[in-house]
Amino acid sequence: MTEDSVKTDPADDHAAELEQLFGAGGPLGGAVGGFKPRHSQTEMAKAIAAAISARTTLIAEAGTGTGKTFAYLVPALLWGGKTIISTGTKNLQDQLFSRDIPTVRKALNVPVSVALLKGRANYVCHFHLERTLQNGRLTAREDAGYLRDISRFMKTTSSGDKAELTQVPETALIWNLVTSTRDTCFGAECQYYQDCFVMKARKEAQQADVVVVNHHLFFADVALKDTGVAELLPSANTVVFDEAHQLPETATLFFGDTVSTSQVLELCRDVLAEGLSHARDGADWAKLVAPVERAARDLRLAFPQDVVRLALHQIAPSSVFFPALETLVSSLAEMLLTLEKQAERAESIEQCRTRAIELSERLKGWNKAGGNTAQGARNEPESVLWVEAFSSSLQLHRTPLSIAPIFNKQREGTPRTWIFTSATLAVKNDFHHYTSQMGLVDEPAQSWPSPFDYGEQGLLYVPAGLPQPNAPDYTDAVIDVAMPAIEAAGGRTFLLCTTIRAVKRAAERLRAEFEQRGLKYPLFVQGESGRTELLDRFRASGNGVLIGSQSFWEGVDVRGEALSLVIIDKLPFAPPDDPVLAARITEMEKQGLNGFMHHQLPEAIINLKQGAGRLIRDETDSGVLMICDPRLISKGYGKRIWQSLPPFKRTREIADVQAFFRDKDRTSEAAASGKIMP
């Protein structure tokens, strides 16, 4: 027998070790309260370990409750080498860095170093704080108090991460004045460069074994080379994307280009301030910026409506939009002539000149790509050009029709492991929609089922008699059928809507209904407080009703009795007037594909699975998922949708819902009295 013939495959060794680590009596059980061995979790960890050994790609769908975070952390910390973990939000990033990774690291007793890296807007900037303290251009009354808090915070913080300063809301306007952007950072020229928190975080990330980032940061870096990830990628052995279902949308955002009138107005504000501070005699600064500000506002006013989303070819060639865009470009060029003459008088004026050049180039580039006509859209078959108007700004977008070729280019070069994981990547165990979006065709994909007993723990209720979702009084009809279910659940409800308008109307109706019926259910409405505060108050209430739109469909974890009913108002199809969606469907149909079946439907199913996933969060949870959309029953594609959901028992009768909650309450009472085990 040769020496080679007795060598074992490292993947086999890893599999045996993972059995022991995740097994009963293993180290994870000792470190994590309530830890139970889960077959799906162990098998997923083995598959990830095998991908790490072979430096290959794995697409891993893990049903809710599988424990996917530990399933990728254990093999990554043991064998992943230099690892980048990218997750969906900054909150999840903080949770991984502060809780999950320390727990696993301690359980495994592995000496890996870990760093947290966020975008520069998350770190207080010494230079901008100093400048704001000196000249105090505060925009809101409460900012003076917040500024004092930030100034005190700077004396004690080692990271400069604004997430540590919880008494200043994340949405406070003061943060814009005390953080830097790519445009307003002086880099190595800055007097505070040695103390810079952004540079410190990047340096720590360079030296760490495991770096935790978020998807926005990862793709902003790929597009802009400005977040520190670009330097990390060449040395990374393993890249893990958690909440990977969000990647197509995030990547589309960053692989495209957006320029807005708000950026122009911010530039004008800074040109005026820096000109008056450093070169008062160099120009009549107020007179210089006025035409640019006026041109930016006129461009917004080219669309009198409040909210507009139009593809370039939908804008009439005779529209005032095109001349207004030309006027903005030429007025920016005029301002630039003066900035070029005065730039040497101060670094901050030079910086304004650089920003003006970049904005001017991007505006001209968009205009040139459009060719000023509807025909121009054909100049760029890979992108769609479109405009989006908000109440006080206009954005010009250039969005790629497919991110697959761009993302594949990022994955070329040194072989490394790429793990894509989420609870929602497949449609009825078919990964094709996701893999084609990301350019991961022919890469291995696996799904591990949830350990929950959905047939016993949950009920899917589709009420009868509802109008079509485009009916003008649809939200009122939803509330009419929802009220008996909400009462049966004793509150304890999420109402997930597909539009903000539906959230507002549902809130009006429920307030009136609760008052009329004397129901003491606290009502929590998206927009009335921050997301975290609303969720904390909902959990604490014990019988609340929370109404939210897209941001509450995912990344929300409410366990136990506080959430027993999830109502979804309608199937989450993307709005049909979305210019990017329309262009993608047109492109698919040119290739002989059905845009609805191959894109809109799978996209809606993945979103719906996220919303449905809010209901059952652990083995002891139970509740009702109520989907109000009649298309789930009446349309041929409805079966494909409900077959992609967890295998709940199904009903169309409110009496079954009421009986479910009566049984649930009886069980809870018996458990509380000690007659049965909970």
Side-chain angles (χ1 to χ4, degrees):
M1 189 180 286
T2 66
E3 187 182 329
D4 282 351
S5 65
V6 294
K7 282 185 180 173
T8 57
D9 184 337
D12 293 338
D13 292 342
H14 294 165
E17 190 170 343
L18 289 168
E19 284 282 359
Q20 187 264 323
L21 291 171
F22 283 98
L28 288 169
V32 184
F35 180 87
K36 291 178 191 164
R38 280 168 278 189
H39 180 71
S40 289
Q41 185 180 49
T42 310
E43 292 305 306
M44 180 177 169
K46 288 179 190 174
I48 289 171
I52 287 172
S53 289
R55 295 210 169 174
T56 53
T57 294
L58 176 67
I59 300 148
E61 182 182 67
T64 307
T66 304
K68 66 180 165 63
T69 306
F70 281 17
Y72 68 71
L73 279 181
V74 171
L77 266 56
L78 288 172
W79 308 297
K82 176 85 170 184
T83 299
I84 298 173
I85 299 173
S86 180
T87 191
T89 63
K90 285 182 284 188
N91 286 345
L92 288 170
Q93 224 186 323
D94 288 332
Q95 181 182 308
L96 265 173
F97 179 73
S98 306
R99 194 179 77 192
D100 297 336
I101 294 176
T103 300
V104 173
R105 183 171 58 180
K106 186 178 176 187
L108 301 178
N109 194 23
V110 284
V112 294
S113 55
V114 187
L116 182 68
L117 185 60
K118 297 182 181 178
R120 63 166 71 247
N122 293 279
Y123 301 97
V124 183
C125 167
H126 291 83
F127 172 79
H128 286 284
L129 174 62
E130 187 68 29
R131 191 170 77 156
T132 303
L133 286 167
Q134 284 172 2
N135 64 21
R137 289 180 293 166
L138 303 182
T139 50
R141 194 172 52 197
E142 62 269 25
D143 281 352
Y146 291 154
L147 188 58
R148 281 193 297 275
D149 291 335
I150 294 167
S151 190
R152 280 196 293 270
F153 168 68
M154 285 291 270
K155 294 181 173 72
T156 57
T157 180
S158 59
S159 73
D161 183 349
K162 68 183 188 185
E164 292 176 11
L165 185 60
T166 50
Q167 65 259 46
V168 180
E170 195 178 348
T171 51
L173 294 172
I174 189 68
W175 289 121
N176 296 330
L177 297 176
V178 298
T179 55
S180 72
T181 65
R182 190 167 66 104
D183 293 333
T184 62
C185 173
F186 291 111
E189 304 298 313
C190 180
Q191 68 202 78
Y192 297 104
Y193 186 72
Q194 295 304 319
D195 302 314
C196 175
F197 290 121
V198 173
M199 293 304 144
K200 187 178 167 190
R202 291 182 184 178
K203 192 173 179 185
E204 285 175 2
Q206 285 289 328
Q207 294 165 352
D209 300 310
V210 177
V211 186
V212 184
V213 302
N214 62 60
H215 302 337
H216 278 256
L217 186 76
F218 189 95
F219 286 108
D221 195 275
V222 166
L224 304 172
K225 300 287 181 282
D226 179 54
T227 68
V229 177
E231 298 101 54
L232 292 174
L233 256 182
S235 61
N237 308 106
T238 304
V239 180
V240 179
F241 290 108
D242 198 349
E243 303 298 334
H245 64 279
Q246 297 175 3
L247 292 182
E249 191 176 331
T250 308
T252 298
L253 180 70
F254 285 105
F255 289 154
D257 184 45
T258 296
V259 58
S260 77
T261 56
S262 298
Q263 289 171 293
V264 176
L265 293 172
E266 280 168 23
L267 172 66
C268 289
R269 182 194 71 190
D270 291 345
V271 167
L272 180 60
E274 301 308 330
L276 291 174
S277 295
H278 302 291
R280 187 174 283 272
D281 59 343
D284 184 339
W285 294 98
K287 199 171 172 184
L288 181 71
V289 301
V292 185
E293 290 179 326
R294 189 166 55 249
R297 292 195 172 100
D298 286 348
L299 185 63
R300 165 62 192 93
L301 294 172
F303 303 100
Q305 308 95 311
D306 266 1
V307 180
V308 176
R309 292 162 70 89
L310 290 173
L312 180 64
H313 67 82
Q314 294 174 306
I315 304 171
S318 58
S319 165
V320 295
F321 166 77
F322 295 109
L325 183 53
E326 290 287 0
T327 303
L328 178 56
V329 169
S330 58
S331 60
L332 252 177
E334 285 292 315
M335 185 171 81
L336 193 50
L337 291 174
T338 301
L339 287 172
E340 281 171 344
K341 288 176 190 162
Q342 303 298 324
E344 61 188 24
R345 297 181 65 174
E347 281 177 11
S348 52
I349 298 178
E350 164 60 28
Q351 193 180 64
C352 287
R353 181 189 77 89
T354 306
R355 284 164 66 191
I357 290 171
E358 187 179 332
L359 276 174
S360 183
E361 291 302 319
R362 287 165 71 192
L363 285 165
K364 282 192 280 193
W366 194 93
N367 203 13
K368 188 177 175 187
N372 269 358
T373 68
Q375 292 293 104
R378 292 176 197 160
N379 295 349
E380 286 227 346
E382 302 301 318
S383 300
V384 56
L385 300 170
W386 56 290
V387 299
E388 188 170 22
F390 302 95
S391 55
S392 59
S393 70
L394 183 76
Q395 295 184 343
L396 309 181
H397 301 281
R398 184 187 313 187
T399 303
L401 286 176
S402 171
I403 60 158
I406 315 170
F407 186 58
N408 271 335
K409 202 169 279 183
Q410 301 306 318
R411 294 176 63 236
E412 286 171 0
T414 312
R416 59 174 62 91
T417 304
W418 296 84
I419 306 293
F420 300 82
T421 184
S422 166
T424 54
L425 294 175
V427 176
K428 265 186 73 182
N429 288 325
D430 179 357
F431 289 87
H432 180 261
H433 175 65
Y434 185 76
T435 56
S436 59
Q437 280 184 302
M438 294 298 296
L440 300 171
V441 182
D442 297 331
E443 297 289 10
Q446 278 182 266
S447 192
W448 288 272
S450 167
F452 302 155
D453 185 349
Y454 286 112
E456 286 300 314
Q457 290 178 251
L459 181 68
L460 171 60
Y461 169 47
V462 182
L466 276 164
Q468 287 303 304
N470 58 359
D473 58 350
Y474 183 74
T475 301
D476 289 291
V478 166
I479 298 303
D480 291 341
V481 294
M483 275 308 304
I486 293 170
E487 287 193 75
R492 303 183 296 181
T493 298
F494 268 12
L495 171 52
L496 301 178
C497 301
T498 51
T499 64
I500 294 292
R501 189 167 58 187
V503 168
K504 289 176 179 168
R505 179 60 188 151
E508 284 171 19
R509 277 291 314 275
L510 284 181
R511 276 201 181 93
E513 293 285 344
F514 291 174
E515 191 174 336
Q516 192 181 329
R517 300 173 190 224
L519 298 171
K520 303 294 184 189
Y521 304 146
L523 195 62
F524 305 99
V525 183
Q526 180 177 336
E528 293 182 0
S529 294
R531 181 172 181 258
T532 306
E533 187 187 338
L534 280 176
L535 284 167
D536 288 345
R537 284 166 53 202
F538 173 82
R539 284 188 190 97
S541 73
N543 67 338
V545 175
L546 186 148
I547 312 174
S549 67
Q550 197 58 51
S551 64
F552 286 89
W553 284 62
E554 58 181 275
V556 173
D557 191 7
V558 178
R559 297 178 186 223
E561 294 290 311
L563 178 58
S564 297
L565 172 64
V566 170
I567 304 170
I568 291 175
D569 71 337
K570 61 173 84 166
L571 299 174
F573 288 110
D577 62 346
D578 181 284
V580 180
L581 175 65
R584 282 183 175 149
I585 287 171
T586 302
E587 196 63 29
M588 291 178 90
E589 286 173 353
K590 280 182 197 166
Q591 296 165 24
L593 298 171
N594 180 308
F596 178 78
M597 294 304 289
H598 289 97
H599 186 80
Q600 287 169 283
L601 182 60
E603 200 75 3
I605 289 172
I606 286 170
N607 277 338
L608 187 67
K609 283 171 72 175
Q610 278 292 331
R614 298 316 99 213
L615 183 63
I616 307 294
R617 304 301 298 171
D618 66 27
E619 285 92 341
T620 60
D621 271 358
S622 61
V624 173
L625 172 64
M626 177 176 174
I627 302 178
C628 297
D629 197 319
R631 292 174 294 183
L632 198 60
I633 305 298
S634 64
K635 297 291 184 185
Y637 57 75
K639 186 175 181 183
R640 190 169 172 210
I641 295 175
W642 60 252
Q643 285 181 339
S644 296
L645 293 171
F648 297 121
K649 287 177 185 164
R650 299 189 298 277
T651 186
R652 304 209 68 195
E653 303 297 329
I654 186 63
D656 292 334
V657 174
Q658 291 161 332
F660 181 94
F661 283 118
R662 277 197 300 274
D663 291 345
K664 178 179 160 87
D665 290 342
R666 274 198 294 270
T667 304
S668 297
E669 284 165 21
S673 67
K675 289 176 185 170
I676 61 167
M677 290 294 288

